[in-house]
Amino acid sequence: MPALLEARNVTKIYGGGRFSRTPGMVALDDFSFRVEDDQPTITAIVGESGSGKTTLARLLLGLTEPTSGQILYRDQDMSRLTGESRKRFLREVQVIFQDPYEVYNPFYKVDHVLSTPIAKFKLASSKQQARALMEETLNAVGLRPEETLGRHPHQLSGGQRQRIMVARALLLQPRLIIADEPVSMVDASLRATILESLRQMHLKYDISILYITHDLTTAYQISDNILVMYRGQVAEAGDVDLVVKQPQHPYTQLLIQSIPQPDPDRAWGHYELPADAARPVVTGGAFCRFVNRCPHAMEICRTTNPPLYRTDEHRAAACFLYRESPALDRADLDQVLTDPARNLTPTGT
Ligand code: SF4
């Protein structure tokens, strides 16, 4: 069965080119990933800025085109979607952005955000039916219609505005929601509520969620699988329990160690991420992308880009520390991701 959405050997380079004096910046480097239609999962894509995670979201939404490789929606090249297939894509794949305020037109009441897709996709046959649908959807994300509809965006809190965006996505009964840092501009007290709304949508309606974030803690709370990205490549991927509780890639280990601790004497963990000494503009090449920050760097790391090694049934790490494990083709990453079963037992490294 074709995947709902697939990135196949995708590389995205910004700048550079034949007539440019500066080298291009590789934002995403030979990246492959599938969202299956019949196996709804929540997958977190985690990384710092410059990791390629936002570029990935833009590629999957068709907002930018790959330099090489393909983005496929139901086996059709995204750049060639037209007519009914494009309309189906626009309904089946929804997005929730970081800053909900930017999505709103301040001159319209927030009802507009919900009534527009109802009209565009003909979801209701009368005004009464449209109103009932809006109320039902707002209730589903924990908002009271009487406190929400009829107001302008500035009259609502950031958390309410973001939940309306969740409601808008739900309205269209999508197969996939790409949530790009959806709670990073929301009060801490509301983060859990919004993430829980997303999780409930996944559980109740079998919607897959791609949760893109720099925050490992919320990624752990919400997701089944996780991809840790570094400089456009997957550093480590697999079952979220395995990756977060027993991180293998040195980069993932540093990320975990830098998570704020509840101990007041150790407010920001016991290990600071060392600054990246590499040049900010990079081209792809034969070296480990993490070599300048890695406490375990070896000679081979400077001359060869490590493949993904399948260290457990449900996890892979791109690091030569695990070269005894079988190498996994980057295009086969889904082999360690698609099983949503929990209680997995690591097989060791
Ligand atoms: Fe460190 Fe080498 Fe592993 Fe890269 S491949 S993370 S430099 S040990």
Side-chain angles (χ1 to χ4, degrees):
M1 178 183 275
L4 174 71
L5 197 58
E6 179 179 2
R8 192 179 287 172
N9 299 112
V10 167
T11 293
K12 177 69 180 177
I13 302 173
Y14 292 108
R18 195 181 299 175
F19 304 109
S20 173
R21 291 184 184 171
T22 53
M25 189 196 78
V26 181
L28 210 59
D29 193 355
D30 192 17
F31 179 87
S32 294
F33 176 70
R34 291 164 62 93
V35 178
E36 305 293 346
D37 192 28
D38 58 347
Q39 294 173 317
T41 56
I42 303 183
T43 303
I45 311 272
V46 178
E48 301 167 292
S49 80
S51 61
K53 60 187 193 307
T54 299
T55 295
L56 173 62
R58 291 177 56 77
L59 285 160
L60 291 175
L61 289 165
L63 300 176
T64 187
E65 289 195 13
T67 307
S68 63
Q70 279 182 302
I71 303 292
L72 300 164
Y73 164 68
R74 296 193 180 281
D75 244 4
Q76 281 184 275
D77 194 302
M78 180 77 91
S79 61
R80 301 209 187 102
L81 286 185
T82 52
E84 276 308 307
S85 55
R86 173 130 195 98
K87 196 170 177 188
R88 190 176 177 194
F89 168 79
L90 290 175
R91 182 166 177 172
E92 287 196 323
V93 180
Q94 291 300 306
V95 62
I96 299 170
F97 287 115
Q98 178 179 26
D99 184 358
Y101 204 71
E102 281 189 358
V103 180
Y104 290 92
N105 184 329
F107 299 109
Y108 286 110
K109 292 176 180 167
V110 295
D111 313 31
H112 190 68
V113 165
L114 301 175
S115 61
T116 301
I118 289 176
K120 182 175 176 184
F121 291 97
K122 298 185 174 59
L123 303 180
S125 53
S126 66
K127 278 191 173 176
Q128 290 80 356
Q129 204 181 10
R131 172 81 188 192
L133 190 55
M134 286 195 269
E135 291 184 358
E136 185 188 334
T137 319
L138 289 170
N139 280 322
V141 299
L143 287 172
R144 293 176 185 218
E146 63 275 19
E147 293 175 2
T148 318
L149 296 175
R151 306 219 170 169
H152 284 91
H154 69 271
Q155 294 175 299
L156 301 176
S157 70
Q160 285 175 313
R161 286 194 294 265
Q162 192 61 303
R163 271 195 277 176
I164 290 173
M165 296 318 294
V166 177
R168 182 188 182 282
L170 178 60
L171 196 63
L172 293 165
Q173 299 179 329
R175 303 298 308 132
L176 168 67
I177 293 175
I178 298 177
D180 187 1
E181 301 275 16
V183 293
S184 62
M185 295 182 72
V186 170
D187 287 348
S189 58
L190 280 168
R191 272 181 211 154
T193 313
I194 292 172
L195 291 174
E196 184 54 27
S197 298
L198 287 172
R199 186 152 188 92
Q200 286 305 319
M201 283 163 70
H202 162 68
L203 293 172
K204 277 191 198 163
Y205 308 109
D206 282 346
I207 298 170
S208 285
I209 312 271
L210 209 54
Y211 177 54
I212 294 174
T213 182
H214 66 280
D215 179 11
L216 258 176
T217 309
T218 53
Y220 178 66
Q221 286 167 356
I222 190 176
S223 62
D224 306 309
N225 291 306
I226 188 168
L227 274 66
V228 179
M229 303 288 295
Y230 189 78
R231 292 206 159 202
Q233 293 192 333
V234 174
E236 183 166 354
D239 176 81
V240 73
D241 269 341
L242 287 175
V243 173
V244 171
K245 289 184 179 168
Q246 302 161 45
Q248 291 183 327
H249 194 284
Y251 175 58
T252 319
Q253 290 170 354
L254 288 185
L255 280 181
I256 302 282
Q257 286 163 350
S258 68
I259 290 176
Q261 303 287 319
D263 180 348
D265 294 328
R266 245 181 27 178
W268 289 95
H270 59 279
Y271 200 109
E272 299 242 324
L273 283 178
D276 193 344
R279 294 190 315 159
V281 175
V282 293
T283 55
F287 55 89
C288 171
R289 304 297 183 267
F290 193 57
V291 69
N292 286 329
R293 299 169 86 177
C294 183
H296 309 286
M298 302 167 275
E299 200 45 46
I300 189 176
C301 312
R302 302 186 192 286
T303 57
T304 311
N305 190 20
L308 282 166
Y309 291 106
R310 188 173 192 168
T311 54
D312 296 314
E313 189 184 353
H314 293 283
R315 183 237 297 270
C319 175
F320 287 121
L321 293 174
Y322 306 98
R323 58 193 149 180
E324 302 299 316
S325 301
L328 181 75
D329 192 311
R330 285 185 185 269
D332 293 332
L333 187 64
D334 56 314
Q335 287 185 13
V336 297
L337 291 178
T338 48
D339 188 343
R342 315 299 294 167
N343 304 319
L344 305 167
T345 308
T347 55
T349 59

